[in-house]
């Protein structure tokens, strides 16, 4: 297996590299890049369902959009089972942690609406049971297409396989609330090809998901970001000089880091509607650094491309580490080169005293960062925890050149619209 740069050498762009040297600069608990502590007495959105990845309705330029004054979010959602014998422990108590940890297998797309950009009201399931072709409806993006309320929901159809799909429906408003109609025909778009992006056959732990379509502010074309792993059999990747970067003496040993092969994928639409896509080489690779760069998304600001992606402590490679949270990279043009924000890439991580307090951060163009609460310790030792499955306090962040700064904290799940569309 060739190194990342050799492998993509002859293609239209070189993937940028998040190197081991970059990652060595990650510092947990730097207050400018750490999410404020989430208190264990947080409110929950619903006692009936867990929610996690949150996907605000937006337009193709990235603006969070309300319709007729109603804000709308989509969430990955799963029932809570407080009375199901399957989730009771030996003492007959609800084992909420086990229920929460099992949620990915039954994830479904739901929506919520609000007049205030918070205090979300339950909308319901987006697609009826049986519409989506696989067991799991994983993350993606709802795009408001026009003032007729048409919405393209791009998401990941998972198990069996992992396919980027889309389904079209319509958002309908009244003075009392919002409903979703249509969403009846799911169109498969593409899957990992084994040449640019790793397939399940190459690696049972492959990742291929989380579509984020957008219109490039410069060339006006329709593209899509997604999470992938660099193609090749598991274990065959090489962590060479380029992937290591400029490290101090004593940091050359890469251990088993060849197993960590995350990348941020990109595809370009061949048509205006986004029904026909061509995968391009990744924008960014993290071979030898991290195995997951999830839910990649952009903020277009000051003529620059700010690329954000979420990642975990447990997916880091041997010899490098960092908190769960959102990482970022910046470039002057779409295809890079991208450099890590704040030197390391870390933009907003969990504090080390509460390493799992939040996840799935989504940076909006107004600098607000939404995420969900995973679990928060309820005692000093961190052995007792309270499971979330609900919206975290929104964080305000300033993006300035090559740096980012935490500057504010807002209410739970505060996702205000950036523009409102009056439906015809
Ligand atoms: C992020 C994530 C996404 C995936 C979903 C599955 O929290 O891992 O990458 O689509 O959750 O539940």
């Amino acid at each position: 297996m060739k190194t990342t740069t050799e492998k993509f050498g002859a293609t239209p762009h070189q993937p940028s590299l998040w190197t081991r040297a970059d990652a060595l600069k990650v510092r947990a608990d730097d207050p400018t890049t750490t999410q404020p502590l989430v208190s264990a007495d947080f409110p929950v959105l619903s006692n009936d369902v867990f929610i996690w990845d949150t996907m605000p309705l937006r337009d193709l330029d990235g603006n969070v959009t309300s319709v007729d004054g109603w804000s709308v979010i989509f969430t990955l959602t799963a029932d809570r089972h407080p009375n199901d014998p399957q989730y009771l422990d030996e003492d007959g108590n609800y084992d909420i942690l086990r229920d929460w940890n099992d949620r990915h297998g039954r994830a479904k797309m739901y929506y919520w609406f609000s007049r205030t950009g918070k205090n979300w009201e339950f909308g319901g399931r987006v697609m009826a049971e049986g519409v989506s072709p696989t067991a799991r409806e994983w993350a993606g993006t709802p795009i408001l297409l026009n003032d007729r309320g048409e919405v393209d929901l791009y998401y990941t159809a998972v198990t069996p396989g992992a396919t980027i799909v889309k389904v079209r429906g319509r958002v309908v408003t009244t003075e009392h609330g919002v409903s979703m109609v249509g969403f009846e025909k799911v169109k498969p778009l593409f899957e990992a090809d084994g040449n640019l992006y790793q397939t399940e056959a190459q690696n049972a732990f492959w990742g291929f998901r989380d579509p984020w379509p957008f219109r490039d502010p410069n060339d006006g074309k329709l593209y899509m970001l997604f999470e992938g792993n660099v193609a090749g059999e598991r274990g065959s990747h090489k962590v060479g000089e380029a992937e290591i970067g400029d490290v101090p003496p004593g940091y050359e040993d890469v251990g088993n880091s060849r197993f960590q092969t995350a990348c941020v994928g990109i595809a370009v639409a061949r048509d205006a509607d986004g029904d026909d896509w061509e995968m391009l080489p990744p924008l960014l690779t993290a071979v030898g650094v991290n195995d997951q760069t999830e839910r990649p998304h952009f903020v277009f600001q000051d003529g620059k491309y700010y690329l954000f992606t979420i990642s975990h402590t447990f997916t880091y490679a041997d010899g490098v580490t960092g908190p769960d949270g959102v990482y970022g990279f910046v470039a002057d043009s779409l295809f890079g080169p991208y450099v890590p924000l704040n030197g390391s890439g870390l933009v907003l991580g969990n504090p080390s005293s509460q390493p799992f307090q939040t996840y799935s951060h989504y940076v909006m163009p107004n600098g607000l960062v939404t995420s969900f609460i995973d679990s928060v310790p309820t005692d000093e030792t961190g052995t007792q925890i309270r499971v979330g499955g609900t919206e975290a306090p929104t964080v305000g962040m300033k993006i300035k050149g090559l740096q980012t700064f935490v500057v504010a904290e807002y209410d739970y799940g505060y996702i205000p619209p950036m523009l409102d569309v009056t439906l015809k």
Side-chain angles (χ1 to χ4, degrees), residues 77-398:
T77 305
D79 289 342
R80 296 175 187 247
H81 296 120
N83 303 313
D84 185 335
Q86 203 195 322
Y87 291 104
L88 300 183
D89 64 18
E90 305 99 67
D91 304 325
N93 296 318
Y94 174 37
D95 187 350
I96 186 173
L97 184 59
R98 196 152 50 81
D99 196 10
W100 170 242
N101 287 338
D102 278 357
R103 73 191 186 280
H104 299 287
R106 58 182 198 276
K108 308 289 178 205
M109 210 44 98
Y110 278 65
Y111 71 97
W112 308 73
F113 53 89
S114 159
R115 275 285 186 211
T116 58
K118 56 187 185 180
N119 301 321
W120 298 95
E121 290 179 57
F122 183 78
R125 200 164 159 190
V126 177
M127 284 168 281
E129 180 63 27
V131 168
S132 194
T134 59
R136 309 171 181 205
E137 300 167 17
W138 275 12
T141 308
I143 301 284
L144 181 69
L145 294 171
N146 50 45
D147 61 10
R148 296 188 303 280
E150 283 180 306
V151 172
D152 265 348
L153 174 61
Y154 290 78
Y155 72 98
T156 325
V158 182
T159 314
T163 310
I164 308 279
V165 302
K166 76 173 189 178
V167 56
R168 185 165 296 187
R170 208 154 49 82
V171 52
V172 176
T173 67
T174 68
E175 59 182 278
H176 305 293
V178 168
S179 50
M180 295 289 161
V181 299
F183 299 100
E184 284 162 353
K185 210 173 158 291
V186 175
K187 187 181 167 84
L189 299 178
F190 55 90
E191 298 176 18
D193 60 345
N195 179 34
L196 294 172
Y197 297 98
Q198 197 173 46
T199 57
E200 186 172 14
Q202 294 173 331
N203 175 9
F205 310 102
W206 96 124
F208 194 78
R209 55 182 184 260
D210 304 347
W212 196 89
F214 65 99
R215 183 165 32 223
D216 176 27
N218 286 309
D219 73 15
K221 285 202 272 185
L222 181 58
Y223 293 91
M224 187 198 295
L225 298 178
F226 53 88
E227 171 188 1
N229 289 99
V230 174
E233 293 296 327
R234 179 172 156 80
S236 70
H237 298 72
K238 261 183 70 186
V239 182
E241 268 175 35
E243 288 77 10
I244 295 173
D246 299 313
V247 294
Y251 288 83
E252 301 86 355
D253 182 2
V254 300
N256 281 324
S257 67
R258 68 183 180 283
F259 293 110
Q260 278 68 44
T261 62
C263 66
V264 171
I266 184 166
V268 60
R270 295 197 189 95
D271 64 333
D273 274 353
D275 290 324
D276 184 15
W277 293 86
E278 179 186 350
M279 280 180 275
L280 303 174
L283 282 188
L284 182 86
T285 62
V287 173
V289 176
N290 203 306
D291 205 35
Q292 291 188 1
T293 45
E294 306 191 284
R295 295 195 69 198
H297 55 283
F298 272 124
V299 168
F300 309 113
Q301 186 189 299
D302 306 327
K304 295 190 188 304
Y305 293 78
Y306 287 92
L307 172 62
F308 296 101
T309 177
I310 53 172
S311 196
H312 291 285
T313 305
F314 85 89
T315 54
Y316 267 99
D318 281 355
V320 280
T321 189
D324 276 29
V326 61
Y327 291 76
F329 304 83
V330 58
D332 291 326
S333 66
L334 175 57
F335 290 104
Y338 284 86
V339 298
L341 287 168
N342 303 318
S344 66
L346 179 60
V347 164
L348 189 65
N350 280 334
S352 54
S353 60
Q354 302 199 154
F356 303 114
Q357 66 171 16
T358 62
Y359 192 58
S360 211
H361 302 75
Y362 183 77
V363 185
M364 295 173 271
N366 53 10
L368 300 194
V369 189
T370 178
S371 60
F372 72 85
I373 300 177
D374 186 309
S375 63
V376 176
T378 53
D379 67 349
E380 297 272 290
T381 61
T383 46
Q384 301 293 319
I385 56 161
R386 180 169 176 225
V387 166
T390 189
E391 297 289 346
T394 295
V395 173
M397 190 171 87
K398 260 209 184 116

Side-chain angles (χ1 to χ4, degrees), residues 57-78:
L57 183 67
R58 66 163 174 89
D59 65 16
L60 272 175
D61 304 311
N63 302 300
V64 176
T65 307
S66 59
V67 281
D68 295 333
W70 288 104
S71 287
V72 180
I73 54 172
F74 287 49
T75 59
L76 294 192
T77 305

